[in-house]
């Protein structure tokens, strides 16, 4: 080997071949073609002789080792033990030597003797490998005395196995060894490739030893190694770039030479600069100043946070007292009969409680106002109040534009009925009766209270919310009543009922006029003649108003019964059949008028003419649906029974009036006249003449009183008078 | 007509929880205050600082417990007791009868009042 190296140096090429590398490449590139080896040798003529010599040498060496122990091409004990610290190595030696051996006893002579013994032994088996070994040994011993010991150990076949197993750890260090061994690091790769190629040439003839490092392990390790190198190279080139860029502002040419092309392309030179910032240590008084201001800021922020907390506490406390009084009032004044539910206040967007005061669940079909109010605390007075809640756009607009009082006022309307009597001589009407309102305008009174005595009103508050609910209930009934009245009126035009404007209905009778008005409390007509002297028709007006309200309730009851009886929900009412408000009243008034007229006719045409004739008058029950219902009440639900009972209580006014007149004519039979208003307002007169022998001679209907007159005259003159 | 006693009691409890929660805020402000005083070097306030912290935590504890209790109560009573606000769609029934009775009362009044007037009138007439 020495000769070889000398030769290499003469050739100007420094090639250091680690025998282990040859071994490694063998495993790494088992499929490499022998051609590649020859190629590298031929392309570089100057290195060729040297390479070839090493190749041949390595060949011989490798083959010999394989023949020798059949395990490894070569074993370089220095690779295994050279890197090992003494503290590890010595115990190993001691272990190998066996028990009772002291390291002190180990001397050069002893080792030399052992080597000699070994030589003799190996010469017996093979002479060639021994030469190689001795060569190696000579080299190693020259480097370090310890290597001799290692070398002996390597000769021990058993130990070799262990070494091979240890090798993976050592392999990763191999490249470093290579570079340290080789003086020219750049040639390392070339050399590697060369050796790889060389190794590959031997591959076909080789059988890979089973005990050595597996291929996968090796590949893995190699990959790791290459990665590490790459990382290191990357790092260095990056830092080189950084330094170059930093330098470029000062010495551009120098920097350009070392800068990477990528950096040159992307970053203008001289853009990075650095300055030395002198670190001036703070003075002691400066430090204390800082400390003080730090402390001051901290204390200030602590104080501020305390204030914020306190402020919020006060705010919360205030709102809590409001909340608590709200709930207290609620719990005191709202009972389980009230319908309370959660809803969102549209004007404020807050969650709140709504109360339902409308009659929707009690049979009302009024959809213009659902009768829902929001329970809330008045922000100015702190009192619980109800704000009617409406989904319709009109009220929403008004509520947003004006204060809540205005909207309440808009809703606070009541119905007034006025009766005007016709003065015959002047062809004019005078007010003869006016209904009074049982509803007190709460909003007006309340405002007066608020301004005059705020303290006293608090005690009234207990009753206040209930009164508000009651009032709202009344107002909604009035509104619905008006709505239904107007609907009914559209069918009654021919009977003198007209809708004068949105809030007024006028019913004209021969000598009277009824006005039904929906008024708000601040109406002019109210303030003008406030509580005049009672008039004659006040009672009638009140009775009509009360009857109208009762009839509305009866309508509700009918709706309820219909709902219970049929699953189909009828949304809109049939005006002809179901809205019976004006018609029963108007009908009975008209009926009595008809009766008077009929009586007059009978008097002048029958009673006055036929002596001793008598008139009997009786009301007949008209056949309506209720009578049919009576038959099977016992099978029905008790609610329906109750409803039916309630409704039949009003039969007298609801049913179509029917009056029977019987005029008995002495010895001449009798005349039966039935006056009936089939649709409440008209009059149909049925005249029957039954003669003495109980044979009905005439039975005919008349719709006009003129005809009745004529017919009666005819009967009397033809049948009664003639026999007389 | 007030709500039943049980519900009143619940409301009372919730109210006290509210107040305790609010008090905690005050307690927190006290804690911050005493802490800043301590930082200022007023070390005599240390026991107070500790006391405030203690009340803060005890308040938190009691609120936690009470609130849990109330929720338990609510849970237990849903479906067993008629609650003032519930998910059942309650119907406002019976309003029609109320109205009817009210009107009958009114009718009675009207008739009585008028009878009186009639009597007055009669008396006037008899005097004459």
């Amino acid at each position: 080997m020495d000769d070889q190296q000398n030769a290499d140096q003469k050739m100007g090429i420094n090639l250091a071949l680690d025998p282990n590398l040859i071994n490694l490449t063998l495993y790494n590139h088992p499929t490499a073609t022998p051609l590649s080896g020859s190629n590298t040798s031929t392309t570089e003529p100057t290195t060729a002789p040297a390479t070839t010599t090493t190749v041949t040498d390595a060949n011989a060496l490798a083959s010999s080792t394989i023949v020798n122990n059949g395990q490894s091409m070569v074993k370089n004990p220095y690779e295994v033990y050279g890197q090992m610290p003494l503290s590890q190595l010595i115990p190993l030696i001691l272990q190998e030597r066996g028990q009772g051996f002291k390291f002190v006893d180990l001397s050069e002579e002893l080792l030399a003797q052992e080597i000699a013994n070994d030589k003799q032994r190996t010469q017996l088996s093979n002479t060639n490998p021994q030469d190689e070994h001795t060569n190696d040994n000579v080299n190693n011993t020259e480097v370090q005395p310890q290597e001799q010991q290692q070398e002996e150990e390597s000769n021990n076949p058993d130990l070799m196995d262990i070494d091979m197993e240890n090798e993976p750890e050592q392999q990763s260090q191999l490249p470093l060894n290579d570079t340290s061994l080789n003086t020219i690091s750049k040639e390392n790769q070339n050399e590697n490739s060369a050796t790889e190629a060389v190794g590959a040439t031997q591959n076909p003839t080789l059988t890979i030893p089973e005990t050595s490092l597996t291929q996968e392990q090796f590949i893995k390790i190699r990959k790791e190694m290459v990665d590490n190198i790459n990382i290191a190279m990357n790092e260095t080139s990056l830092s080189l770039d950084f330094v170059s860029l930093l330098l470029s502002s000062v010495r551009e040419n120098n920097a350009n030479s070392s800068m990477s092309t990528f950096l040159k392309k992307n970053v203008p030179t001289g853009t990075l600069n650095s300055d030395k910032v002198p670190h001036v240590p703070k003075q002691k008084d400066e430090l204390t100043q800082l400390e003080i201001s730090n402390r001051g800021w901290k204390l200030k922020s602590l104080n501020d946070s305390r204030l914020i907390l306190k402020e919020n506490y006060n705010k919360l406390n205030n709102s809590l007292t409001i909340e608590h009084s709200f709930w207290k009032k609620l719990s005191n004044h709202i009972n389980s009969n009230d319908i309370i539910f959660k809803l969102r206040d549209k004007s404020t967007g807050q969650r709140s409680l709504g109360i339902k005061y409308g009659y929707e669940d009690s049979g009302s079909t009024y959809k213009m106002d659902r009768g829902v109010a929001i329970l809330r605390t008045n922000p100015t007075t702190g009192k619980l109040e109800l704000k009617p809640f409406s989904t319709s756009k009109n009220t929403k607009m008004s509520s947003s534009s004006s204060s809540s009082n205005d909207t309440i006022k808009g809703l606070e309307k009541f119905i007034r009925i006025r009766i005007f009597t016709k003065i015959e001589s002047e062809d004019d009407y005078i007010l003869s009766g006016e209904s009074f309102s049982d509803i007190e305008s709460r909003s007006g009174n309340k405002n007066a209270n608020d301004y005059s005595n705020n303290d006293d009103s608090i005690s009234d508050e207990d009753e206040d919310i209930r009164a508000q609910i009651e009032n709202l209930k009344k107002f909604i009934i009035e509104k619905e009543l008006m709505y239904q009245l107007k609907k009914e009126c559209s069918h009654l035009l021919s009977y003198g009922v007209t809708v004068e404007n949105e809030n007024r209905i006028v019913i004209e009778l021969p000598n009277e006029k009824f006005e039904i008005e929906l008024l708000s409390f601040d109406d002019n007509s109210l303030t003008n003649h406030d509580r005049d002297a009672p008039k004659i028709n006040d009672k009638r007006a009140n009775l009509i108003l009360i009857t109208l309200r009762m009839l509305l309730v009866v309508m509700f009851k009918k709706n309820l019964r219909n709902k219970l009886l049929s699953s189909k929900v009828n949304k809109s009412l049939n005006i002809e059949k179901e809205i019976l408000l004006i018609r029963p009243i108007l009908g009975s008034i008209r009926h009595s008028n008809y009766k008077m007229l009929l009586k007059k006719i009978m008097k002048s045409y029958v009673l006055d003419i036929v002596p001793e004739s008598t008139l009997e008058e009786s009301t007949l029950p008209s056949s309506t649906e209720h009578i049919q219902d009576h038959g099977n009440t016992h099978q029905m639900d008790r609610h329906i029974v109750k409803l039916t009972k309630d409704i039949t209580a009003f039969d007298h006014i609801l049913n179509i009036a029917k009056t029977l007149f019987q005029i008995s004519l002495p010895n001449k039979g009798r005349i039966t006249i039935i006056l009936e208003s089939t649709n409440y307002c008209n009059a149909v007169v049925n005249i029957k003449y039954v003669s003495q022998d109980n044979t009905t001679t005439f039975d005919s209907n008349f719709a006009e009183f003129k005809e009745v007159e004529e017919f009666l005259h005819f009967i009397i003159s033809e049948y009664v008078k003639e026999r007389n | 007509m007030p709500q039943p006693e049980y519900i009143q009691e619940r409301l009372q409890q919730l109210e006290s929880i509210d107040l305790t929660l609010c008090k905690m805020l005050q307690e927190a402000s006290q804690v911050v205050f005493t802490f800043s005083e301590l930082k200022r070097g007023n070390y005599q306030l240390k026991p107070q600082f500790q006391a405030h912290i203690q009340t803060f935590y005890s308040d938190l504890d009691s609120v936690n417990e009470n609130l849990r209790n109330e929720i338990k109560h609510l849970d237990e009573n849903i479906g067993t007791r008629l609650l003032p606000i519930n998910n059942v769609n309650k119907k406002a029934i019976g309003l029609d009868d109320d109205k009817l009775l009210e009107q009958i009362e009114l009718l009675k009044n009207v008739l009585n009042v008028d009878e009186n007037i009639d009597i007055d009138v009669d008396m006037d007439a008899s005097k004459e």
Side-chain angles (χ1 to χ4, degrees), chain A residues 331 334 336 362 539 557 642, chain B residues 3 15 33 90 92 97 114:
Chain A
S331 70
I334 304 294
S336 49
S362 296
K539 186 179 165 186
K557 284 185 180 294
K642 185 187 172 288
Chain B
Q3 291 286 340
E15 212 168 277
F33 173 68
K90 213 163 134 191
D97 284 336
D114 284 25

Side-chain angles (χ1 to χ4, degrees), chain A residues 295 299 302 305-306 309 312-313 316-317 320 324 331-332 334-336 338-340 353 357-359 361-362 438 473-474 477 539 543 546 549-550 553 557 560 642 646 650, chain B residues 1-3 8 11 15 18-19 22-23 25-26 28-29 32-33 35-36 39-40 84-85 90-97 99-100 102-104 106-107 110-111 114 118:
Chain A
R295 204 171 262 253
L299 285 176
L302 275 175
S305 48
R306 178 181 74 96
L309 280 169
N312 280 317
Y313 162 74
L316 260 182
N317 223 3
L320 273 183
H324 290 166
S331 70
N332 279 338
I334 304 294
N335 56 40
S336 49
D338 292 309
I339 311 301
I340 291 182
L353 287 175
Y357 60 86
Y359 285 74
D361 298 326
S362 296
D438 61 316
K473 278 182 182 174
K474 281 173 181 167
I477 272 276
K539 186 179 165 186
L543 287 176
I546 290 167
R549 289 195 191 126
M550 282 180 161
V553 176
K557 284 185 180 294
L560 279 181
K642 185 187 172 288
D646 288 346
F650 288 86
Chain B
M1 224 189 299
Q3 291 286 340
Q8 300 262 27
L11 277 173
E15 212 168 277
D18 268 357
L19 286 174
C22 193
K23 207 184 118 221
L25 212 56
Q26 195 194 22
S29 103
V32 172
F33 173 68
F35 182 67
S36 75
K39 284 278 151 188
R40 238 182 265 269
I85 302 165
K90 213 163 134 191
K91 293 282 185 188
I93 49 165
L95 292 181
D96 47 346
D97 284 336
K99 190 75 193 173
L100 201 60
E102 177 194 302
Q103 293 304 313
I104 287 169
L106 212 60
L107 189 67
V110 168
L111 292 174
D114 284 25
D118 286 345

Side-chain angles (χ1 to χ4, degrees), chain A residues 81-131:
Chain A
Y81 298 105
Q83 301 293 315
M84 207 178 262
L86 274 178
S87 57
Q88 285 179 26
L89 184 68
I90 291 166
L92 259 179
I93 295 165
L94 289 178
Q95 194 190 352
E96 200 270 332
R97 290 273 158 176
Q99 276 188 336
F101 180 81
K102 287 175 183 169
F103 191 67
V104 193
D105 298 338
L106 193 69
S107 61
E108 209 171 335
E109 289 88 351
L110 188 67
L111 287 171
Q113 201 189 335
E114 274 181 15
I115 292 164
N117 287 343
D118 263 344
K119 268 183 189 169
Q120 284 177 346
R121 234 188 294 152
T122 45
Q123 266 175 347
L124 288 172
S125 54
N126 202 332
T127 47
N128 276 342
Q130 188 213 1
D131 288 336

Side-chain angles (χ1 to χ4, degrees), chain A residues 263-311:
Chain A
L263 193 70
K264 265 185 223 165
K265 215 185 280 170
N266 287 292
V267 183
T269 50
T271 47
L272 190 67
N273 197 10
S274 68
D275 259 322
K276 197 182 175 189
V277 181
H279 174 73
V280 183
K282 292 262 184 325
Q283 294 297 307
K284 206 181 177 186
D285 52 342
E286 264 182 327
L287 281 172
T288 48
Q289 197 76 33
L290 265 177
E291 180 106 336
I292 287 165
S293 62
N294 278 347
R295 204 171 262 253
W297 276 113
K298 274 175 194 164
L299 285 176
K300 191 188 179 303
S301 49
L302 275 175
N303 203 35
D304 284 354
S305 48
R306 178 181 74 96
L307 286 176
I308 290 167
L309 280 169
K310 203 163 196 177
E311 209 175 288

Side-chain angles (χ1 to χ4, degrees), chain A residues 235-250:
Chain A
E235 298 281 318
T236 45
S237 54
L238 272 177
S239 43
L240 179 65
D241 262 356
F242 176 73
V243 172
S244 304
L245 187 61
L246 201 58
L247 192 68
S248 66
S249 60
V250 191

Side-chain angles (χ1 to χ4, degrees), chain A residues 208-221:
Chain A
I208 299 160
E210 289 170 358
T211 49
S212 73
L213 180 73
T214 64
Q215 192 143 339
E216 286 79 24
Q217 274 173 313
F218 171 70
I219 289 168
K220 203 179 135 213
I221 290 157

